[in-house]
Coordinates of all heavy atoms in Angstrom, one line a residue:
T1075 N 92.3 -138.2 -14.0 CA 92.5 -137.1 -14.9 C 93.5 -136.2 -14.4 O 94.1 -135.4 -15.2 CB 91.2 -136.3 -15.0 OG1 90.7 -135.8 -13.9 CG2 90.1 -137.2 -15.7
M1076 N 93.9 -136.2 -13.1 CA 94.9 -135.3 -12.6 C 96.3 -135.9 -12.6 O 97.3 -135.2 -12.6 CB 94.5 -134.9 -11.2 CG 93.4 -134.0 -11.0 SD 93.7 -132.3 -11.5 CE 94.9 -131.8 -10.4
V1077 N 96.4 -137.3 -12.7 CA 97.6 -137.9 -12.5 C 98.5 -137.6 -13.7 O 99.7 -137.2 -13.5 CB 97.5 -139.4 -12.3 CG1 98.7 -140.1 -12.4 CG2 96.7 -139.7 -11.1
T1078 N 98.1 -137.7 -14.9 CA 98.9 -137.5 -16.1 C 99.5 -136.1 -16.2 O 100.7 -136.0 -16.3 CB 98.2 -137.8 -17.4 OG1 97.7 -139.1 -17.3 CG2 99.0 -137.7 -18.6
P1079 N 98.8 -135.0 -15.9 CA 99.4 -133.7 -16.0 C 100.4 -133.4 -14.8 O 101.4 -132.8 -15.0 CB 98.3 -132.7 -15.9 CG 97.1 -133.4 -16.3 CD 97.3 -134.9 -16.0
L1080 N 100.0 -134.0 -13.7 CA 100.9 -133.9 -12.5 C 102.3 -134.6 -12.7 O 103.3 -134.1 -12.4 CB 100.3 -134.3 -11.2 CG 99.1 -133.4 -10.7 CD1 98.5 -134.1 -9.5 CD2 99.7 -132.1 -10.3
T1081 N 102.2 -135.9 -13.2 CA 103.5 -136.6 -13.5 C 104.3 -135.9 -14.6 O 105.5 -135.9 -14.6 CB 103.2 -138.0 -13.9 OG1 102.3 -138.0 -15.0 CG2 102.6 -138.8 -12.7
Q1082 N 103.6 -135.3 -15.6 CA 104.4 -134.6 -16.6 C 105.0 -133.3 -16.0 O 106.2 -133.0 -16.4 CB 103.4 -134.2 -17.8 CG 103.1 -135.3 -18.5 CD 102.0 -134.9 -19.6 OE1 101.5 -134.0 -19.6 NE2 101.8 -135.9 -20.5
K1083 N 104.3 -132.6 -15.1 CA 104.9 -131.4 -14.6 C 105.9 -131.6 -13.6 O 107.1 -131.0 -13.6 CB 103.7 -130.6 -13.9 CG 104.2 -129.3 -13.4 CD 103.0 -128.5 -12.7 CE 103.4 -127.2 -12.1 NZ 102.4 -126.5 -11.5
Y1084 N 105.7 -132.5 -12.6 CA 106.6 -132.7 -11.5 C 107.8 -133.7 -11.8 O 108.9 -133.6 -11.3 CB 106.0 -133.1 -10.2 CG 105.1 -131.9 -9.7 CD1 103.7 -132.0 -9.6 CD2 105.7 -130.8 -9.2 CE1 103.0 -130.9 -9.1 CE2 105.0 -129.8 -8.7 CZ 103.6 -129.9 -8.6 OH 102.9 -128.8 -8.1
F1085 N 107.4 -134.8 -12.6 CA 108.4 -135.8 -12.9 C 108.9 -135.9 -14.3 O 109.9 -136.7 -14.6 CB 107.9 -137.2 -12.5 CG 107.4 -137.2 -11.0 CD1 106.1 -137.5 -10.7 CD2 108.4 -137.1 -10.0 CE1 105.6 -137.4 -9.4 CE2 107.9 -137.2 -8.7 CZ 106.6 -137.3 -8.3
G1086 N 108.4 -135.1 -15.2 CA 108.7 -135.1 -16.5 C 108.4 -136.4 -17.3 O 109.1 -136.7 -18.2
F1087 N 107.4 -137.0 -16.9 CA 107.0 -138.2 -17.6 C 106.3 -137.9 -19.0 O 105.6 -136.9 -19.0 CB 105.9 -139.0 -16.8 CG 106.4 -139.7 -15.6 CD1 107.8 -139.7 -15.2 CD2 105.6 -140.6 -14.9 CE1 108.2 -140.4 -14.1 CE2 106.1 -141.3 -13.8 CZ 107.4 -141.2 -13.4
G1088 N 106.6 -138.6 -19.9 CA 106.0 -138.5 -21.3 C 104.9 -139.6 -21.3 O 104.4 -140.1 -20.4
E1089 N 104.5 -139.9 -22.6 CA 103.5 -140.8 -22.8 C 104.0 -142.3 -22.4 O 103.2 -143.0 -21.8 CB 103.1 -140.9 -24.3 CG 102.4 -139.7 -24.8 CD 102.0 -139.7 -26.2 OE1 102.0 -140.8 -26.8 OE2 101.6 -138.7 -26.7
L1090 N 105.2 -142.6 -22.7 CA 105.7 -144.0 -22.3 C 105.8 -144.0 -20.8 O 105.4 -145.1 -20.2 CB 107.1 -144.1 -23.0 CG 107.7 -145.5 -22.7 CD1 106.8 -146.6 -23.2 CD2 109.1 -145.5 -23.2
G1091 N 106.3 -143.0 -20.1 CA 106.4 -143.1 -18.6 C 105.0 -143.2 -18.0 O 104.9 -144.0 -17.0
N1092 N 104.1 -142.5 -18.5 CA 102.7 -142.7 -17.9 C 102.1 -144.0 -18.2 O 101.4 -144.5 -17.3 CB 101.8 -141.5 -18.4 CG 102.0 -140.3 -17.7 OD1 102.2 -140.2 -16.5 ND2 101.9 -139.1 -18.4
S1093 N 102.4 -144.5 -19.4 CA 101.8 -145.9 -19.7 C 102.6 -146.9 -18.8 O 101.8 -147.8 -18.3 CB 102.2 -146.2 -21.1 OG 101.4 -145.3 -22.0
V1094 N 103.8 -146.8 -18.6 CA 104.5 -147.8 -17.7 C 103.9 -147.7 -16.2 O 103.7 -148.6 -15.6 CB 106.0 -147.5 -17.8 CG1 106.7 -148.4 -16.7 CG2 106.6 -148.0 -19.1
M1095 N 103.8 -146.4 -15.8 CA 103.2 -146.2 -14.5 C 101.9 -146.8 -14.3 O 101.6 -147.4 -13.4 CB 103.1 -144.6 -14.1 CG 102.7 -144.4 -12.8 SD 102.3 -142.6 -12.6 CE 100.9 -142.3 -13.6
Y1096 N 101.0 -146.5 -15.3 CA 99.6 -147.2 -15.2 C 99.7 -148.7 -15.3 O 98.9 -149.4 -14.6 CB 98.7 -146.6 -16.3 CG 98.2 -145.3 -16.1 CD1 98.5 -144.2 -16.9 CD2 97.4 -145.0 -14.9 CE1 98.0 -142.9 -16.6 CE2 97.0 -143.7 -14.7 CZ 97.2 -142.7 -15.5 OH 96.7 -141.5 -15.3
S1097 N 100.6 -149.3 -16.0 CA 100.7 -150.7 -16.1 C 101.2 -151.3 -14.8 O 100.7 -152.2 -14.2 CB 101.7 -151.1 -17.2 OG 101.3 -150.7 -18.4
L1098 N 102.2 -150.5 -14.2 CA 102.6 -151.0 -12.8 C 101.6 -150.9 -11.8 O 101.4 -151.7 -10.8 CB 103.9 -150.3 -12.4 CG 105.1 -150.6 -13.2 CD1 106.3 -149.6 -12.8 CD2 105.5 -152.0 -13.1
C1099 N 100.7 -149.8 -11.8 CA 99.6 -149.6 -10.9 C 98.7 -150.8 -11.1 O 98.1 -151.3 -10.1 CB 99.0 -148.3 -11.1 SG 99.9 -146.9 -10.6
G1100 N 98.3 -151.2 -12.4 CA 97.5 -152.4 -12.5 C 98.1 -153.7 -12.0 O 97.3 -154.4 -11.4
V1101 N 99.3 -153.8 -12.1 CA 99.9 -155.1 -11.5 C 99.9 -155.0 -10.0 O 99.6 -156.0 -9.4 CB 101.5 -155.2 -12.0 CG1 102.2 -156.3 -11.2 CG2 101.5 -155.5 -13.5
E1102 N 100.1 -153.8 -9.4 CA 99.9 -153.7 -8.1 C 98.5 -153.9 -7.5 O 98.3 -154.6 -6.4 CB 100.4 -152.3 -7.6 CG 100.3 -152.1 -6.1 CD 100.5 -150.6 -5.7 OE1 100.7 -149.8 -6.6 OE2 100.5 -150.3 -4.5
V1103 N 97.5 -153.6 -8.2 CA 96.1 -153.8 -7.8 C 95.8 -155.3 -7.8 O 95.3 -155.8 -6.9 CB 95.2 -153.0 -8.7 CG1 93.8 -153.5 -8.5 CG2 95.3 -151.5 -8.4
I1104 N 96.3 -155.9 -8.9 CA 96.0 -157.3 -9.0 C 96.8 -158.1 -8.0 O 96.2 -159.0 -7.2 CB 96.5 -157.9 -10.4 CG1 95.5 -157.3 -11.5 CG2 96.5 -159.4 -10.5 CD1 96.0 -157.5 -12.9
A1105 N 98.1 -157.8 -7.7 CA 98.8 -158.4 -6.6 C 98.2 -158.1 -5.2 O 98.1 -159.0 -4.3 CB 100.2 -157.9 -6.6
G1106 N 97.6 -156.9 -5.0 CA 96.9 -156.6 -3.7 C 95.7 -157.5 -3.5 O 95.4 -157.9 -2.5
F1107 N 95.0 -157.7 -4.7 CA 93.7 -158.5 -4.7 C 94.1 -159.9 -4.1 O 93.5 -160.5 -3.3 CB 93.1 -158.5 -6.0 CG 92.0 -159.6 -6.1 CD1 90.7 -159.4 -5.5 CD2 92.3 -160.8 -6.7 CE1 89.8 -160.4 -5.6 CE2 91.3 -161.7 -6.8 CZ 90.0 -161.5 -6.2
F1108 N 95.2 -160.5 -4.8 CA 95.6 -161.9 -4.3 C 96.1 -161.9 -3.0 O 96.0 -162.9 -2.3 CB 96.6 -162.5 -5.4 CG 96.0 -162.9 -6.6 CD1 96.4 -162.3 -7.9 CD2 95.0 -163.9 -6.6 CE1 95.7 -162.6 -9.0 CE2 94.5 -164.3 -7.9 CZ 94.9 -163.6 -9.1
L1109 N 96.8 -160.8 -2.5 CA 97.3 -160.8 -1.1 C 96.2 -160.7 -0.1 O 96.2 -161.5 0.8 CB 98.2 -159.5 -0.9 CG 98.7 -159.3 0.5 CD1 99.6 -160.4 0.9 CD2 99.4 -158.0 0.5
V1110 N 95.1 -159.9 -0.5 CA 94.0 -159.9 0.5 C 93.2 -161.2 0.4 O 92.8 -161.7 1.5 CB 93.1 -158.7 0.1 CG1 91.8 -158.7 0.8 CG2 93.8 -157.3 0.4
R1111 N 93.2 -161.8 -0.7 CA 92.5 -163.2 -0.8 C 93.1 -164.1 0.1 O 92.5 -165.0 0.8 CB 92.4 -163.5 -2.3 CG 91.7 -164.8 -2.5 CD 91.7 -165.0 -4.0 NE 91.2 -166.4 -4.3 CZ 91.3 -167.1 -5.4 NH1 91.9 -166.5 -6.4 NH2 90.9 -168.2 -5.6
W1112 N 94.6 -164.2 0.0 CA 95.3 -165.1 0.8 C 95.2 -164.8 2.2 O 95.0 -165.7 3.1 CB 96.7 -165.1 0.4 CG 97.6 -165.9 1.1 CD1 97.7 -167.3 1.1 CD2 98.5 -165.6 2.2 NE1 98.6 -167.8 2.1 CE2 99.1 -166.7 2.7 CE3 98.9 -164.3 2.7 CZ2 100.1 -166.6 3.8 CZ3 99.9 -164.2 3.6 CH2 100.4 -165.4 4.2
L1113 N 95.3 -163.5 2.6 CA 95.2 -163.1 4.0 C 93.9 -163.4 4.6 O 93.8 -163.8 5.9 CB 95.5 -161.6 4.2 CG 96.9 -161.2 4.1 CD1 97.1 -159.7 4.1 CD2 97.8 -161.8 5.3
S1114 N 92.8 -163.3 3.8 CA 91.5 -163.6 4.4 C 91.3 -165.1 4.7 O 90.5 -165.4 5.5 CB 90.4 -163.1 3.4 OG 90.5 -163.9 2.2
R1115 N 92.1 -165.9 4.1 CA 92.1 -167.3 4.5 C 92.9 -167.6 5.7 O 92.5 -168.6 6.4 CB 92.6 -168.1 3.3 CG 91.7 -168.2 2.1 CD 92.4 -169.1 1.0 NE 91.6 -169.0 -0.2 CZ 92.0 -169.5 -1.4 NH1 93.2 -170.0 -1.5 NH2 91.2 -169.3 -2.4
V1116 N 93.9 -166.9 5.9 CA 94.8 -167.1 7.0 C 94.3 -166.4 8.3 O 94.5 -166.9 9.5 CB 96.2 -166.7 6.7 CG1 97.2 -166.8 7.9 CG2 96.7 -167.5 5.5
L1117 N 93.8 -165.1 8.2 CA 93.5 -164.3 9.3 C 92.0 -164.0 9.3 O 91.4 -164.2 8.4 CB 94.3 -163.0 9.2 CG 95.8 -163.0 9.2 CD1 96.3 -161.6 8.9 CD2 96.3 -163.5 10.5
E1118 N 91.5 -163.5 10.4 CA 90.1 -163.2 10.5 C 89.9 -161.9 9.8 O 90.8 -161.1 9.5 CB 89.8 -162.9 12.1 CG 89.8 -164.1 12.8 CD 89.4 -163.8 14.3 OE1 88.6 -162.8 14.5 OE2 89.7 -164.7 15.2
D1119 N 88.7 -161.7 9.4 CA 88.3 -160.4 8.6 C 88.6 -159.2 9.3 O 89.0 -158.2 8.8 CB 86.9 -160.6 8.2 CG 86.6 -161.5 7.1 OD1 87.6 -162.0 6.4 OD2 85.4 -161.9 7.0
R1120 N 88.5 -159.2 10.6 CA 88.7 -158.0 11.4 C 90.2 -157.6 11.3 O 90.5 -156.4 11.3 CB 88.4 -158.3 12.9 CG 86.9 -158.4 13.1 CD 86.7 -158.6 14.6 NE 85.4 -159.1 14.9 CZ 84.9 -159.3 16.1 NH1 85.6 -159.1 17.2 NH2 83.6 -159.9 16.2
V1121 N 91.0 -158.5 11.4 CA 92.5 -158.3 11.3 C 92.8 -157.7 9.9 O 93.6 -156.7 9.8 CB 93.3 -159.5 11.6 CG1 94.8 -159.3 11.5 CG2 93.0 -160.1 13.0
V1122 N 92.3 -158.3 8.9 CA 92.5 -157.8 7.6 C 92.0 -156.4 7.4 O 92.8 -155.5 6.8 CB 91.9 -158.7 6.5 CG1 92.1 -158.1 5.1 CG2 92.5 -160.1 6.5
L1123 N 90.8 -156.0 7.9 CA 90.3 -154.7 7.8 C 91.2 -153.8 8.7 O 91.4 -152.6 8.3 CB 88.9 -154.7 8.4 CG 87.8 -155.3 7.5 CD1 86.5 -155.4 8.1 CD2 87.6 -154.5 6.2
A1124 N 91.6 -154.2 9.9 CA 92.5 -153.3 10.7 C 93.8 -153.0 9.9 O 94.3 -151.9 10.0 CB 92.7 -154.0 12.0
V1125 N 94.4 -153.9 9.3 CA 95.7 -153.7 8.6 C 95.4 -152.8 7.4 O 96.2 -151.9 7.2 CB 96.2 -155.1 8.1 CG1 97.4 -154.8 7.1 CG2 96.7 -155.9 9.2
G1126 N 94.3 -153.0 6.7 CA 93.9 -152.0 5.6 C 93.6 -150.6 6.1 O 94.1 -149.6 5.4
L1127 N 93.1 -150.5 7.3 CA 92.9 -149.1 8.0 C 94.2 -148.5 8.2 O 94.4 -147.3 8.0 CB 91.9 -149.2 9.1 CG 91.7 -148.0 9.8 CD1 90.9 -147.1 9.0 CD2 91.0 -148.2 11.2
L1128 N 95.1 -149.3 8.8 CA 96.4 -148.7 9.1 C 97.3 -148.3 7.8 O 97.9 -147.2 7.8 CB 97.3 -149.7 9.9 CG 96.8 -150.0 11.3 CD1 97.6 -151.2 11.9 CD2 97.0 -148.8 12.1
I1129 N 97.1 -149.1 6.8 CA 97.8 -148.8 5.5 C 97.2 -147.5 5.0 O 97.9 -146.6 4.5 CB 97.8 -149.9 4.6 CG1 98.7 -151.0 5.1 CG2 98.2 -149.5 3.2 CD1 98.5 -152.3 4.3
C1130 N 95.9 -147.3 5.0 CA 95.2 -146.2 4.4 C 95.4 -145.0 5.2 O 95.7 -143.9 4.7 CB 93.7 -146.4 4.2 SG 93.1 -147.4 3.0
S1131 N 95.5 -145.1 6.5 CA 95.9 -144.0 7.4 C 97.3 -143.5 7.1 O 97.6 -142.3 7.1 CB 95.6 -144.4 8.8 OG 94.4 -144.7 9.1
G1132 N 98.2 -144.4 7.0 CA 99.6 -144.1 6.7 C 99.7 -143.3 5.3 O 100.5 -142.4 5.2
A1133 N 99.0 -143.8 4.4 CA 98.9 -143.2 3.0 C 98.3 -141.7 3.1 O 98.9 -140.9 2.4 CB 98.1 -144.0 2.0
C1134 N 97.3 -141.6 3.9 CA 96.7 -140.3 4.1 C 97.8 -139.3 4.7 O 97.9 -138.1 4.3 CB 95.5 -140.3 4.9 SG 94.1 -141.1 3.9
V1135 N 98.5 -139.8 5.8 CA 99.5 -138.9 6.4 C 100.6 -138.6 5.4 O 101.0 -137.4 5.3 CB 100.0 -139.7 7.6 CG1 101.3 -138.9 8.2 CG2 98.9 -139.8 8.7
W1136 N 101.0 -139.5 4.7 CA 102.1 -139.3 3.6 C 101.6 -138.2 2.6 O 102.3 -137.3 2.3 CB 102.5 -140.6 3.0 CG 103.6 -140.4 1.9 CD1 104.8 -140.2 2.1 CD2 103.2 -140.1 0.5 NE1 105.5 -140.0 0.9 CE2 104.6 -140.0 -0.1 CE3 102.1 -140.1 -0.3 CZ2 104.6 -139.7 -1.5 CZ3 102.2 -139.8 -1.6 CH2 103.5 -139.6 -2.2
C1137 N 100.4 -138.4 2.2 CA 99.8 -137.5 1.2 C 99.7 -136.0 1.8 O 100.1 -135.0 1.1 CB 98.4 -138.0 0.8 SG 97.8 -137.0 -0.5
L1138 N 99.3 -135.9 3.0 CA 99.3 -134.6 3.6 C 100.6 -133.9 3.8 O 100.8 -132.7 3.5 CB 98.6 -134.7 5.1 CG 97.2 -134.9 5.1 CD1 96.6 -135.1 6.5 CD2 96.4 -133.7 4.5
I1139 N 101.6 -134.8 4.1 CA 103.0 -134.2 4.3 C 103.5 -133.8 2.8 O 104.1 -132.8 2.7 CB 103.9 -135.2 4.9 CG1 103.6 -135.4 6.4 CG2 105.3 -134.8 4.8 CD1 104.2 -136.6 7.1
F1140 N 103.2 -134.7 1.8 CA 103.6 -134.3 0.5 C 103.0 -133.1 -0.1 O 103.7 -132.2 -0.7 CB 103.4 -135.5 -0.4 CG 103.8 -135.2 -1.9 CD1 105.1 -135.3 -2.2 CD2 102.8 -135.0 -2.8 CE1 105.4 -135.1 -3.5 CE2 103.2 -134.8 -4.1 CZ 104.5 -134.8 -4.4
L1141 N 101.6 -132.9 0.2 CA 100.9 -131.8 -0.2 C 101.2 -130.5 0.5 O 101.2 -129.4 -0.1 CB 99.5 -132.0 -0.3 CG 98.9 -133.0 -1.3 CD1 97.4 -133.3 -1.0 CD2 99.2 -132.6 -2.6
A1142 N 101.7 -130.7 1.7 CA 102.0 -129.4 2.5 C 103.4 -128.9 2.0 O 103.6 -127.7 2.1 CB 102.1 -129.7 4.0
N1143 N 104.3 -129.8 1.5 CA 105.6 -129.4 1.1 C 106.0 -130.2 -0.1 O 106.8 -131.1 0.1 CB 106.6 -129.5 2.3 CG 107.9 -128.9 1.9 OD1 108.1 -128.2 0.8 ND2 109.0 -129.1 2.6
P1144 N 105.5 -129.9 -1.3 CA 105.9 -130.7 -2.4 C 107.3 -130.6 -2.9 O 107.7 -131.4 -3.8 CB 104.8 -130.2 -3.5 CG 104.6 -128.8 -3.2 CD 104.7 -128.7 -1.6
Q1145 N 108.2 -129.8 -2.4 CA 109.5 -129.6 -2.8 C 110.3 -130.7 -2.4 O 111.0 -131.0 -1.6 CB 110.1 -128.3 -2.5 CG 109.3 -127.2 -2.9 CD 109.2 -127.0 -4.5 OE1 110.1 -127.5 -5.2 NE2 108.1 -126.5 -5.0

C-alpha cells in the first residue's frame, strides 16, 4: 500500500508506470523461483540459504542507506 504513493511522489509514476513496475516485479519473482529451483539441484541447501542471507543483508543495508539520505 505504500509503494504506489511513494513512486508517484519520488519518481513521478502514474498508473501506467506503476502497472509496468508491478508486472516487472512479478516477472522477477517468477524468475527468482526458477533460479532457486535450479540452484537447489546444483548446490546444497545450506549454500542456497547462505546466498539468500547475503542478498537479504545487502538489500537491508541498501535500504538503510537510502532511507537515511533519500536525496
Side-chain angles (χ1 to χ4, degrees):
T1075 59
M1076 290 287 296
V1077 173
T1078 301
L1080 287 175
T1081 56
Q1082 288 175 346
K1083 181 178 179 181
Y1084 290 113
F1085 301 116
F1087 286 6
E1089 291 180 16
L1090 179 63
N1092 278 322
S1093 296
V1094 169
M1095 181 189 66
Y1096 282 120
S1097 298
L1098 292 175
C1099 289
V1101 169
E1102 179 187 4
V1103 167
I1104 293 169
F1107 171 77
F1108 285 116
L1109 177 66
V1110 169
R1111 184 176 169 198
W1112 176 75
L1113 282 176
S1114 66
R1115 291 181 183 168
V1116 176
L1117 302 172
E1118 292 184 22
D1119 288 340
R1120 292 182 198 186
V1121 176
V1122 176
L1123 287 171
V1125 170
L1127 178 64
L1128 289 173
I1129 291 171
C1130 286
S1131 297
C1134 287
V1135 169
W1136 177 85
C1137 188
L1138 286 173
I1139 292 169
F1140 178 75
L1141 290 176
N1143 187 11
Q1145 300 300 332

